[in-house]
Amino acid sequence: MKILLPKKDPNIVRSGRYREYPRIYSKLDSYVTKILQAHHLQPRKVTLWDRGISSFVFVLGGKKKLALKISPRYSLFSEAKFYQKARQAGIPVPKLFAVDTSKKLIPYEYHITEWIVGKIPDELNSKDLYRCAFELGRMFVRLHQIKMDGFGLPTSKGWSHKSWLSALKEFSQKEASLKEMKKLFGHGMVSILGRILRDPKMDIHKPRLTHSDTGEDQFLVIKKNGKWMVEGVLDPGYFISGDPLIDLAGAMITWNKSAYRRGFYDGYISTHSLKKEEQYRLLRLRFLSQAWGATVVNRTNKKDGSGMAQDALKLAKKIG
């Protein structure tokens, strides 16, 4: 059994990546070996498939491929809960085989899931991307039927937040500092953000299952009978319980392609007509999501960050 790691990761100091990444990378082979031994797995080959900002995903090759995810930065407890709940709604998410959040075997959390065959739809033409996003939007209406009993992230002691607004506030503080946002947008935009995060109309009292990271790179497609179809939904974001409109807002961030944004929205509203109060919240969640995204992108790409900021300004004008 071979563990295939590039001798030198060209992105090892990639901007925005977890600061401990280089040290962890040097020990990955020993971590993987311990995990495989503990779960009595003997794959023919182990390949590092994805090096994200804060996690590592390996393909365990054999008769039945598996995926191993090691997460040094974020808890996988909520991701596992999301997958378990989403399967109840018939959403194509990976089946869980093992989850270890104890950090006893290795100093980080990990899980092992089935490997979903498919590809990220970045190469699809606009027509196929729209159709897949439309299908995904309809799926998320089903996902949002699942009732939850808390807000934000589940922990071993309960939920991370007592209200939806408090979850939004904490995420805003972690995602983009006020200093960064003032520099990019100016005081007026930051003032709008503050008003939204204090607006009682933005709070909800019946939380639903959410993904909260609905970009076009978070799902897989496969071609069946000549048509591209959604095959898998992956990697939920910062919180998995709250206002379902956060998923619609995330899909409409302008770092996603236009066909994806239109398809997801059209698919969603084809089975769920938005009420007036939902339209009110969606516009403001779109502004928050767009502003957060622009701030993050601006750290590494000033041109793209500026363009996304202009899109956030357009939403701000609609809010007034």
Side-chain angles (χ1 to χ4, degrees):
M1 185 268 294
K2 292 182 178 180
I3 299 176
L4 302 180
L5 283 171
K7 291 183 179 180
K8 185 176 181 181
D9 182 358
N11 296 316
I12 203 160
V13 291
R14 172 178 157 192
S15 180
R17 182 163 269 162
Y18 185 44
R19 65 181 179 277
E20 294 292 311
Y21 186 97
R23 184 179 61 80
I24 298 165
Y25 187 83
S26 67
K27 297 182 178 181
L28 275 180
D29 55 350
S30 65
Y31 293 155
V32 172
T33 299
K34 287 182 178 180
I35 292 169
L36 296 180
Q37 290 174 346
H39 294 278
H40 308 291
L41 295 172
Q42 296 180 322
R44 289 196 297 266
K45 184 170 67 173
V46 178
T47 307
L48 180 58
W49 178 74
D50 181 52
R51 304 180 290 281
I53 287 177
S54 57
S55 64
F56 305 87
V57 178
F58 293 85
V59 182
L60 311 182
K63 288 184 178 180
K64 187 174 183 179
K65 281 187 178 180
L66 299 174
L68 165 63
K69 182 174 184 178
I70 299 174
S71 180
R73 189 175 183 185
Y74 296 118
S75 173
L76 293 178
F77 185 83
S78 63
E79 185 170 320
K81 191 174 185 71
F82 173 85
Y83 288 152
Q84 291 166 350
K85 290 282 187 178
R87 288 181 75 85
Q88 297 175 12
I91 307 301
V93 295
K95 183 178 180 181
L96 282 164
F97 292 108
V99 184
D100 189 340
T101 60
S102 69
K103 301 182 182 179
K104 292 179 179 179
L105 181 65
I106 65 171
Y108 309 107
E109 298 184 14
Y110 69 87
H111 67 46
I112 300 170
T113 68
E114 68 173 326
W115 177 260
I116 295 182
V117 177
K119 58 177 286 183
I120 294 171
D122 54 350
E123 297 177 7
L124 296 187
N125 61 44
S126 294
K127 183 178 179 180
D128 288 335
L129 181 58
Y130 176 90
R131 184 166 52 244
C132 287
F134 189 95
E135 179 188 357
L136 194 65
R138 291 173 64 91
M139 279 186 188
F140 267 73
V141 174
R142 299 203 310 273
L143 181 90
H144 293 157
Q145 299 304 309
I146 297 178
K147 297 177 182 179
M148 305 293 278
D149 57 2
F151 297 91
L153 291 170
T155 70
S156 58
K157 298 180 180 180
W159 288 91
S160 61
H161 295 84
K162 293 182 179 180
S163 73
W164 172 237
L165 269 184
S166 67
L168 277 181
K169 288 175 184 176
E170 184 188 32
F171 180 75
S172 184
Q173 292 166 358
K174 287 190 175 185
E175 190 74 354
S177 70
L178 284 177
K179 184 178 180 181
E180 282 183 294
M181 298 194 77
K182 283 180 180 178
K183 187 175 180 180
L184 181 59
F185 296 109
H187 180 76
M189 287 278 282
V190 175
S191 177
I192 293 174
L193 182 142
R195 289 205 319 266
I196 293 172
L197 294 176
R198 293 190 301 269
D199 186 350
K201 292 181 181 178
M202 293 299 296
D203 215 358
I204 62 164
H205 305 288
K206 295 180 180 180
R208 300 301 175 102
L209 184 65
T210 63
H211 183 281
S212 78
D213 189 12
T214 44
E216 59 192 40
D217 58 345
Q218 301 299 336
F219 73 104
L220 300 174
V221 296
I222 193 170
K223 204 167 191 178
K224 294 180 179 179
N225 300 319
K227 289 186 177 182
W228 288 100
M229 303 178 67
V230 176
E231 187 70 6
V233 177
L234 308 174
D235 299 337
Y238 183 68
F239 32 64
I240 65 163
S241 181
D243 187 345
L245 293 176
I246 194 69
D247 288 338
L248 192 51
M252 297 173 76
I253 297 176
T254 57
W255 57 31
N256 297 312
K257 293 177 181 176
S258 174
Y260 176 82
R261 302 196 306 267
R262 290 185 292 105
F264 194 106
Y265 179 81
D266 290 350
Y268 196 91
I269 66 170
S270 71
T271 55
H272 178 83
S273 298
L274 297 179
K275 299 176 182 177
K276 189 175 181 179
E277 59 268 26
E278 290 177 312
Q279 294 174 9
Y280 178 93
R281 298 201 312 274
L282 176 60
L283 175 59
R284 285 151 182 81
L285 288 171
R286 284 186 62 196
F287 168 77
L288 292 178
S289 299
Q290 185 71 33
W292 293 331
T295 307
V296 171
V297 170
N298 193 63
R299 292 171 190 160
T300 55
N301 189 318
K302 301 293 184 183
K303 184 179 179 181
D304 287 351
S306 178
M308 288 185 64
Q310 290 301 312
D311 292 326
L313 284 168
K314 293 175 184 177
L315 291 169
K317 289 179 179 179
K318 292 182 180 180
I319 293 171

